[in-house]
Amino acid sequence: MIEDETPVELTRIPTGITGFDELIDGGFPEKALVLLAGSTGTGKSTFAMNFLVHGALNGEPGVYVSLEEAAQENETQMKLFGWPIERLKKEKKIMITQPELYDFDKLITHLEDSVTKIGAKRLVLDSISLISMYFKDEFKVRRALLDLEKTLKNLGCTTIAITEIREDKKGVSTYGVEEFVVDGVVVLYFIKKENVFSRAIAIRKMRSTNHSLKIHPMQIARPGGVIIYPGEEVFTEF
């Protein structure tokens, strides 16, 4: 006779995004690597910033590594939501950095040094779609993504890695491999109905989690941040 074992209690990291944690058992699994995918204008950076700021305000330092916009631009965007970025930076609860895009190994070192410097528990990488700038060969790009995944997991942070999806593409990543090596995949949508665009969100994958399989409405409010409506759903075809 096989004895029943007590289920393992998984530590959850609340995102702090209004309505979202209800869709994922209360938060991301601790130290998970989550892919945040979407096309232009879907709210990826805002979602990730919201996640980082919530952690910083609740004793979990975070690092935002931007491979696209300048650090100052990211700070300005955060301030528009009423988040106390200057105070959090002074208290070393948030670090916003922009490494130079010319050496992949230096990017890895930059990630490791930044996390260590403030004892980060949360990390955002925006965006891994630019990894191709380091390599000309697609095989090397895919190999680099696997190396990056190992580095991010070894850092021990709960991490959001942003990836771009082209409007005409049906996949959930830039290179078609990222979704297979991460712990979770969250997809943001920009949906057109008649003459109006609206935002929506879905969880395509989240290991060790009973997550929603529906597409839910999403809103970006200033001040405040991202709002998800877990009791509502969006009906659409992709």
Side-chain angles (χ1 to χ4, degrees):
M1 181 177 178
I2 300 176
E3 295 183 5
D4 293 335
E5 293 186 3
T6 304
V8 175
E9 287 293 331
L10 193 67
T11 301
R12 296 278 168 185
I13 304 301
T15 65
I17 294 170
T18 302
F20 181 69
D21 292 339
E22 295 178 41
L23 306 179
I24 53 170
D25 278 351
F28 292 142
E30 186 179 29
K31 300 181 182 178
L33 172 57
V34 178
L35 190 70
L36 181 63
S39 58
T40 300
T42 51
K44 299 182 299 298
S45 296
T46 304
F47 186 102
M49 290 174 183
N50 206 152
F51 162 77
L52 212 63
V53 169
H54 176 78
L57 291 171
N58 288 275
E60 293 187 347
V63 176
Y64 195 102
V65 180
S66 175
L67 301 183
E68 296 188 72
E69 294 184 344
Q72 184 61 49
E73 178 62 26
N74 281 298
E75 289 180 31
T76 299
Q77 291 298 317
M78 288 183 174
K79 291 174 184 176
L80 291 175
F81 291 97
W83 298 327
I85 301 305
E86 292 299 333
R87 174 170 67 84
L88 292 173
K89 284 173 55 185
K90 289 178 181 178
E91 295 175 352
K92 295 186 177 180
K93 296 290 181 62
I94 274 187
M95 178 188 293
I96 304 172
T97 69
Q98 185 185 30
E100 295 184 27
L101 279 172
Y102 63 89
D103 189 305
F104 181 73
D105 291 334
K106 283 186 170 58
L107 169 63
I108 298 297
T109 300
H110 181 88
L111 290 169
E112 294 170 338
D113 290 347
S114 298
V115 167
T116 301
K117 190 170 183 179
I118 66 170
K121 300 297 182 183
R122 301 188 181 206
L123 174 65
V124 171
L125 183 57
D126 184 6
S127 84
I128 61 172
S129 300
L130 294 183
I131 296 300
S132 62
M133 294 184 68
Y134 296 106
F135 308 97
K136 294 182 180 180
D137 183 80
E138 186 174 342
F139 172 78
K140 290 183 179 179
V141 171
R142 290 172 179 254
R143 180 60 183 269
L145 286 168
L146 294 175
D147 291 341
L148 178 62
E149 182 266 342
K150 291 178 182 177
T151 297
L152 293 173
K153 295 291 286 186
N154 288 336
L155 288 174
C157 294
T158 304
T159 303
I160 289 179
I162 294 175
T163 187
E164 297 285 340
I165 304 175
R166 294 199 314 267
E167 296 284 353
D168 59 344
K169 190 174 180 181
K170 291 187 177 181
V172 295
S173 65
T174 303
Y175 306 107
V177 66
E178 301 94 310
E179 61 264 42
F180 298 106
V181 299
V182 297
D183 301 302
V185 178
V186 177
V187 184
L188 305 185
Y189 300 102
F190 210 42
I191 301 169
K192 183 177 183 294
K193 187 174 182 180
E194 296 180 351
N195 66 334
V196 178
F197 282 98
S198 60
R199 292 184 172 92
I201 188 169
I203 297 96
R204 288 288 299 268
K205 169 184 175 181
M206 195 65 62
R207 287 176 181 159
S208 306
T209 303
N210 291 317
H211 62 82
S212 171
L213 297 176
K214 297 178 180 179
I215 302 173
H216 299 273
M218 170 179 149
Q219 180 183 0
I220 297 177
R222 291 182 177 175
V226 177
I227 301 171
I228 311 298
Y229 298 90
E232 301 178 26
E233 55 189 286
V234 175
F235 298 90
T236 186
E237 293 183 5
F238 293 100

